[in-house]
Amino acid sequence: MDSTNGNGADLESANGANGSGVVTDALPPPPPIIPPNVEPVRVKTELAEKKNLRVPMARKGFGTRGQKIPLLTNHFKVDVANLQGHFFHYSVALFYDDGRPVEAKGVGRKILDKVHETYHSDLDGKEFAYDGEKTLFTYGALPDNKMDFSVVLEEVSAARTNGNGSPNGNESPSDGDRKRLRRPNRAKNFRVEISYAAKIPLQALANAMRGQESENSQEAIRVLDIILRQHAARQGCLLVRQSFFHNDPSNCEQVGGNILGCRGFHSSFRTTQGGMSLNMDVTTTMIIKPGPVVDFLIANQNARDPYSIDWSKAKRTLKNLRVKVSPSNQEFRITGLSDKPCREQTFELKKRNPNENGEFDITEVTVADYFRETRHIDLQYSADLPCINVGKPKRPTYIPLELCSLIPLQRYTKALNTFQRSALVEKSRQKPQERMTVLSKALKVSNYDAEPLLRSCGISISSNFTQVEGRVLPAPKLKMGCGSELFPRNGRWNFNNKQFVEPTKIERWVVVNFSARCNVRQVVDDLIKIGGSKGIEIAPPFQVFEEGNQFRRAPPLNRVENMFKDIQSKLPGVPQFILCVLPEKKNCDLYGPWKKKNLTEFGIVTQCMAPTRQPNDQYLTNLLLKINAKLGGLNSMLSVERTPAFTVISKVPTIILGMDVSHGSPGQSDVPSIAAVVSSREWPLISKYRASVRTQPSKAEMIESLFKKNGTEDDGIIKELLVDFYTSSNKRKPEHIIIFRDGVSESQFNQVLNIELDQIIEACKLLDANWNPKFLLLVAQKNHHTKFFQTSSPDNVPPGTIIDNKICHPKNNDFYLCAHAGMIGTTRPTHYHVLYDEIGFSPDELQELVHSLSYVYQRSTTAISVVAPICYAHLAAAQLGTFMKFEDQSETSSSHGGITAPGPISVAQLPKLKDNVANSMFFC
């Protein structure tokens, strides 16, 4: 599935000679083509001169432990025959015939295709790889360094007309407009400038396959990926980065609200230990169901009829979508809606014939009257509805709603609701064998061998899945209560007839019921009984607080306040724990204010539940896993924890950090991003954690608050976590710091190594200048497209499957791990990149540590797909993120985050958690 947050932008394009993509005659001539035997001098950057930058470490060797297993992967071997050739990079500038630059998106490919077709011989028959914007590549040079072309394009959708499709806000169709109306496919002249920018040797690909990556090798792979995008664009596909979606209704599934999950394919070239490969996978994106706009709005809002639509919401949903207008079949982009309905919305209409003074009279007419009298179209239902505006803010162009239909393959980029997400996951999952069949067919249909540019540089793609050798690591032994131990089977275990390893006691607690839909007294009795069987002593609750019917319709904040007033009036002191029963729905709007009140004002541990029916024993056992962990207990742990046998952790004090940044939903540019770092505590345990969470500017990926000097003090995240480790681990400082970083791409590895790691080191130095802990830094990636399949079974790969050869990086230290049992769909492995290791782990030691950390997640009795510290960082960020929905910017911006000019943008700060819950696993 295509993630989560994907922005679908084209690959970043190189600018023209003057930095704007427009090359003017006043500029000096472009540089001559560099002779093949001259190496250009690289200018040293200021950053590189300042210090030696860290780079991702090279692989030290391969793991050997575990049972070997033959596997297939969705990488297809690529042979490159002409490694002696060169790609030539050109900047493209597009102009209208009056000299204005072309800014409209999507027209570039049509113009360049026309240039290629018209001037084929002038271009020496060279094939283009064009990114759709300002960058063009050829294999071999064009005849000249700078070439100018003029082309004429039959315009398919006359989006710049002033009134042919509908009345314009301030004038009627002129004579010219009427001619265009009769001949909508009018021609348009364009001028195209193609200027030499750079030369990329294909030899760089061979170097990259030997692990010698360079700017040239990255550019060469970028060219190959652009060729794939262009190939898909010519087939009429929707392009989302390197994923391509055909206009085929059989590939689409309804997920609710007239939003479709559209299945497509990801294709990209990768350099691996086994050479170059094409990574191809099935992926899904959201599109809007094509058809009448009114049908979409009714379904999207779950409205009864067109007259029940919320038009302010509709305006936000429709903005920038493209519609086809009947009967002219012209396409327009929606810019807004009219303020009034069609029968009331007026515009000034210029009469066709001049009066006796030779002037054209102007009359005011409604949109509905204009369409009835001038266009002879009687509106069936939309006269009482707002019009679609396809014009500009000061020159609106109105079209009645019923004449507009949404065109196919338009992405839906807003956040899905819970039910849509569930439907999407349900409908996009594929069993391993089905996925393999679909991919084989897609590779065949793509017919990349016929792509002329790939052919000209001698690139051929195998049709066979690549064979790799995996190893299945044995599951670590787990310790339960009363000294019992077990080996998980198939990545799973349970607490049937077993107790928690460190059960807690619950003495002072209450129950709050915001929902009347389940028997709360029965839930309490069952919870006490099951808790006892797991070793948790639970006293009867002090009281069950039922929300009064008069508050049920009040705003969420008021309901929470009223409930707390009731609790305070009847309780002698602050309870240790509150069990909260929420109404029967996910994403309940009470959740955020309830958690915020408990954690930041009172320091009370709270567990929410929203059962759809009377909870059974399994449900309540799962609930107790979370309650026990939040109150400081442990459900299970690795048998080697707290023993000298756990040499990689127990020989010296070691802290494990999990770091992640979560962003708001797509389109929410004003919502701060949330950075969360969790850290292990009570060394030598690796099963207990605490979290520190901060806000930062929206969409900022690097964590900004790791080290935050305030005079001589450090207010950053890392100091807070190191101090907690010291106090919870018998006053021992960590000598080893193991960091797991989530959510960054390969292009950001150097920033993690040289910015974030530096901040962590600075935080250590400020605490003790003579303290030199050793670091291990790994990045975990889930958002990739590599999958593994068994050769001798239709099932998913077994839990514990690890791959560190063949399709891994030719030089850097990375591996894929499927720690969990993939029960549905096809298992998605986690791709771990070891960026830095001062500690000196052997490959086997490190891989086993990562595997073990998938078994210490306290919320479930299964191995999880990514290490527990990263999962906890997600949970902590998500839980505190619910606070932000209820925060007033003015109340929450702290004194040091206030508005200053010039300086950083003010970001709303999260309220501070009370100390007693801050050190707990409140996020569990």
Side-chain angles (χ1 to χ4, degrees):
M1 205 172 92
D2 193 31
S3 143
T4 0
N5 63 5
N7 287 330
D10 268 14
L11 289 163
E12 194 173 302
S13 55
N15 279 333
N18 63 356
S20 65
V22 179
V23 184
T24 62
D25 293 335
L27 291 168
I33 294 170
I34 300 162
N37 57 344
V38 175
E39 182 66 24
V41 177
R42 294 225 175 265
V43 179
K44 287 186 179 175
T45 63
E46 194 181 325
L47 192 59
E49 294 237 298
K50 204 159 60 177
K51 62 170 188 172
N52 291 324
L53 294 183
R54 301 181 193 97
V55 293
M57 66 179 285
R59 185 183 301 280
K60 289 179 180 174
F62 297 92
T64 58
R65 291 182 195 161
Q67 182 76 40
K68 289 183 179 173
I69 180 172
L71 301 169
L72 296 174
T73 181
N74 57 339
H75 283 237
F76 301 89
K77 186 162 175 53
V78 174
D79 286 315
V80 189
N82 302 345
L83 281 169
Q84 301 315 307
H86 290 78
F87 284 129
F88 283 75
H89 172 189
Y90 295 89
S91 293
V92 175
L94 308 175
F95 304 94
Y96 294 107
D97 53 1
D98 60 4
R100 285 177 303 118
V102 174
E103 286 166 359
K105 289 207 174 224
V107 73
R109 289 191 192 278
K110 292 175 187 170
I111 296 170
L112 266 290
D113 282 347
K114 191 73 174 176
V115 167
H116 189 262
E117 177 194 320
T118 312
Y119 298 98
H120 195 66
S121 56
D122 300 75
L123 296 162
D124 280 359
K126 292 274 184 255
E127 296 294 337
F128 288 168
Y130 176 53
D131 74 346
E133 294 189 4
K134 297 175 182 175
T135 305
L136 176 80
F137 296 93
T138 58
Y139 178 68
L142 293 177
D144 294 300
N145 276 2
K146 186 170 180 180
M147 303 184 81
D148 269 34
F149 302 100
S150 291
V151 289
V152 178
L153 207 63
E154 291 294 324
E155 194 176 36
V156 180
S157 60
R160 288 174 58 81
T161 56
N162 291 330
N164 56 324
S166 68
N168 187 272
N170 55 10
E171 58 182 302
S172 73
S174 64
D175 286 346
D177 286 331
R178 280 197 296 279
K179 285 173 190 165
R180 283 200 290 271
L181 184 58
R182 289 194 289 272
R183 186 167 50 88
N185 289 344
R186 63 197 171 98
K188 212 166 215 184
N189 296 316
F190 295 93
R191 192 165 63 80
V192 181
E193 285 183 1
I194 298 177
S195 313
Y196 170 79
K199 178 179 172 183
I200 305 151
L202 259 71
Q203 189 60 45
L205 289 176
N207 296 344
M209 286 182 264
R210 291 194 294 271
Q212 299 162 11
E213 284 187 321
S214 64
E215 223 172 284
N216 271 339
S217 67
Q218 288 165 358
E219 274 293 280
I221 291 169
R222 181 174 166 238
V223 178
L224 297 179
D225 284 343
I226 286 172
I227 295 170
L228 297 184
R229 284 175 60 80
Q230 178 175 271
H231 186 71
R234 285 176 176 162
Q235 295 174 354
C237 290
L238 164 68
L239 310 183
V240 184
R241 294 189 297 279
Q242 285 302 126
S243 296
F244 317 127
F245 303 89
H246 288 270
N247 184 17
D248 180 353
S250 68
N251 289 337
C252 298
E253 294 275 6
Q254 271 274 15
V255 297
N258 263 20
I259 307 302
L260 307 178
C262 180
R263 194 173 72 188
F265 300 95
H266 166 92
S267 290
S268 64
F269 287 98
R270 314 274 302 175
T271 49
T272 69
Q273 291 169 27
M276 181 78 79
S277 71
L278 176 75
N279 178 205
M280 195 164 184
D281 194 21
V282 180
T283 184
T284 305
T285 195
M286 301 290 89
I287 63 168
I288 282 167
K289 186 178 179 182
V293 171
V294 70
D295 291 355
F296 167 70
L297 290 175
I298 288 170
N300 189 249
Q301 296 189 11
N302 201 18
R304 288 190 314 277
D305 52 46
Y307 310 104
S308 316
I309 289 169
D310 175 340
W311 293 104
S312 60
K313 191 174 172 186
K315 187 175 181 178
R316 291 194 300 274
T317 308
L318 294 176
K319 190 160 170 83
N320 290 327
L321 293 180
R322 295 192 69 86
V323 288
K324 188 173 273 190
V325 175
S326 63
S328 67
N329 272 349
Q330 286 178 281
E331 281 180 23
F332 296 94
R333 188 179 297 280
I334 297 174
T335 54
L337 298 173
S338 62
D339 297 328
K340 298 175 182 174
C342 259
R343 68 167 79 253
E344 294 173 25
Q345 182 66 53
T346 59
F347 67 98
E348 291 180 342
L349 179 68
K350 196 187 285 182
K351 292 211 170 167
R352 294 186 181 188
N353 301 315
N355 59 23
E356 61 269 17
N357 301 325
E359 295 170 350
F360 292 91
D361 289 331
I362 292 175
T363 59
E364 203 163 87
V365 63
T366 68
V367 175
D369 288 345
Y370 168 82
F371 273 87
R372 186 175 60 255
E373 292 161 15
T374 309
R375 307 296 298 279
H376 310 298
I377 296 171
D378 273 324
L379 301 180
Q380 302 300 307
Y381 61 83
S382 60
D384 295 311
L385 304 176
C387 310
I388 298 281
N389 181 9
V390 296
K392 292 182 177 172
K394 292 184 179 175
R395 297 184 64 184
T397 303
Y398 297 122
I399 303 172
L401 191 70
E402 67 189 68
L403 303 182
C404 299
S405 284
L406 292 160
I407 65 168
L409 288 183
Q410 297 195 78
R411 280 188 81 204
Y412 182 76
T413 54
K414 295 174 177 60
L416 297 180
N417 64 37
T418 310
F419 305 106
Q420 289 171 326
R421 274 202 305 275
S422 299
L424 176 64
V425 171
E426 178 72 38
K427 289 172 178 177
S428 59
R429 54 173 73 129
Q430 288 176 309
K431 286 285 184 192
Q433 293 297 106
E434 184 192 350
R435 187 174 287 254
M436 287 182 78
T437 305
V438 167
L439 286 175
S440 293
K441 185 181 170 191
L443 186 60
K444 205 171 179 180
V445 168
S446 295
N447 197 16
Y448 288 135
D449 286 340
E451 167 57 48
L453 204 49
L454 291 180
R455 256 205 339 260
S456 62
C457 44
I459 286 178
S460 60
I461 301 166
S462 165
S463 58
N464 299 322
F465 286 75
T466 298
Q467 294 186 331
V468 293
E469 184 179 82
R471 290 171 290 115
V472 182
L473 300 178
K477 191 195 286 182
L478 299 182
K479 188 176 180 181
M480 309 293 190
C482 302
S484 68
E485 293 184 324
L486 61 78
F487 281 106
R489 295 182 59 186
N490 197 30
R492 306 176 81 79
W493 63 98
N494 61 55
F495 280 99
N496 294 345
N497 307 314
K498 297 180 195 73
Q499 293 193 353
F500 296 155
V501 67
E502 288 182 12
T504 187
K505 274 187 180 182
I506 305 176
E507 293 168 332
R508 302 183 326 279
W509 69 293
V510 297
V511 181
V512 162
N513 183 18
F514 285 106
S515 162
R517 292 188 179 89
C518 75
N519 183 341
V520 177
R521 304 283 168 181
Q522 187 64 52
V523 169
V524 169
D525 291 346
D526 291 347
L527 199 67
I528 291 171
K529 183 185 76 171
I530 296 164
S533 72
K534 305 300 169 221
I536 301 179
E537 288 180 39
I538 308 177
F542 181 85
Q543 190 167 342
V544 174
F545 292 89
E546 300 273 359
E547 183 181 43
N549 285 334
Q550 70 271 30
F551 299 125
R552 293 263 164 97
R553 294 180 182 274
L557 275 168
N558 295 15
R559 293 174 71 183
V560 169
E561 290 293 339
N562 289 329
M563 186 61 80
F564 261 95
K565 279 179 192 164
D566 197 15
I567 294 170
Q568 284 174 294
S569 69
K570 292 174 183 167
L571 281 193
V574 175
Q576 172 195 8
F577 169 68
I578 300 180
L579 179 67
C580 174
V581 184
L582 293 173
E584 293 176 323
K585 59 179 179 179
K586 290 186 177 181
N587 292 346
C588 178
D589 53 8
L590 287 163
Y591 183 86
W594 174 258
K595 286 286 185 184
K596 177 174 173 283
K597 189 85 176 168
N598 279 277
L599 297 175
T600 65
E601 292 185 35
F602 292 96
I604 302 171
V605 171
T606 176
Q607 177 62 51
C608 294
M609 60 186 289
T612 52
R613 53 181 174 269
Q614 199 65 26
N616 59 18
D617 287 7
Q618 183 62 59
Y619 183 103
L620 294 173
T621 301
N622 289 342
L623 203 68
L624 283 163
L625 290 174
K626 299 164 79 171
I627 293 168
N628 191 47
K630 285 178 181 180
L631 289 170
L634 267 181
N635 305 323
S636 61
M637 58 196 276
L638 303 179
S639 290
V640 292
E641 283 184 74
R642 292 207 180 110
T643 73
F646 200 22
T647 52
V648 293
I649 298 295
S650 61
K651 62 184 174 188
V652 297
T654 302
I655 187 171
I656 298 174
L657 305 178
M659 304 180 9
D660 183 40
V661 177
S662 70
H663 307 292
S665 302
Q668 289 184 306
S669 57
D670 55 336
V671 176
S673 292
I674 297 179
V677 184
V678 302
S679 61
S680 60
R681 58 200 311 267
E682 297 180 28
W683 174 78
L685 279 182
I686 62 166
S687 292
K688 273 192 179 179
Y689 292 83
R690 63 100 73 197
S692 180
V693 186
R694 309 281 173 95
T695 51
Q696 58 185 45
S698 181
K699 305 295 183 275
E701 192 49 70
M702 291 299 114
I703 299 177
E704 299 190 355
S705 307
L706 295 172
F707 176 67
K708 206 169 181 184
K709 202 163 180 188
N710 184 10
T712 57
E713 285 299 305
D714 173 12
D715 295 336
I717 290 173
I718 296 300
K719 179 197 171 182
E720 181 185 325
L721 299 177
L722 290 173
V723 168
D724 174 73
F725 180 89
Y726 181 77
T727 53
S728 70
S729 305
N730 294 321
K731 303 203 169 168
R732 299 287 299 270
K733 291 177 193 164
E735 291 177 38
H736 291 171
I737 298 179
I738 298 173
I739 304 162
F740 288 93
R741 178 67 160 97
D742 188 36
V744 289
S745 62
E746 278 96 331
S747 62
Q748 295 166 316
F749 286 178
N750 285 339
Q751 288 172 277
V752 173
L753 273 168
N754 295 292
I755 298 173
E756 290 186 342
L757 184 54
D758 268 2
Q759 285 189 46
I760 295 168
I761 291 168
E762 283 188 73
C764 295
K765 287 291 178 199
L766 197 64
L767 281 170
D768 181 350
N770 299 316
W771 175 35
N772 294 300
K774 291 180 176 175
F775 290 90
L776 168 67
L777 172 57
L778 298 94
V779 166
Q781 290 178 331
K782 292 276 287 180
N783 197 14
H784 60 82
H785 290 278
T786 296
K787 302 286 192 299
F788 297 101
F789 309 91
Q790 294 199 60
T791 56
S792 54
S793 165
D795 296 332
N796 269 311
V797 297
T801 299
I802 196 160
I803 297 94
D804 62 1
N805 59 74
K806 195 92 175 252
I807 59 147
C808 290
H809 195 279
K811 177 187 170 193
N812 296 352
N813 191 355
D814 66 329
F815 59 89
Y816 292 89
L817 174 62
C818 303
H820 63 303
M823 307 306 286
I824 47 178
T826 305
T827 299
R828 180 185 294 199
T830 300
H831 191 185
Y832 290 98
H833 302 260
V834 188
L835 299 190
Y836 193 70
D837 181 13
E838 291 180 313
I839 298 170
F841 279 100
S842 72
D844 281 322
E845 282 175 333
L846 182 54
Q847 291 171 10
E848 287 204 336
L849 172 64
V850 172
H851 185 225
S852 296
L853 282 167
S854 301
Y855 280 83
V856 299
Y857 188 58
Q858 297 299 305
R859 281 164 54 112
S860 73
T861 54
T862 61
I864 52 174
S865 62
V866 70
V867 290
I870 280 177
C871 277
Y872 289 145
H874 284 316
L875 291 172
Q879 185 161 132
L880 269 70
T882 62
F883 293 7
M884 299 304 293
K885 295 177 190 173
F886 309 96
E887 286 299 313
D888 182 341
Q889 288 276 62
S890 60
E891 286 177 8
T892 57
S893 54
S894 62
S895 55
H896 59 268
I899 295 168
T900 54
I905 300 161
S906 172
V907 175
Q909 302 298 308
L910 288 165
K912 203 171 183 319
L913 303 187
K914 290 286 182 187
D915 287 348
N916 58 320
V917 288
N919 292 332
S920 74
M921 289 177 69
F922 67 86
F923 44 81
C924 205

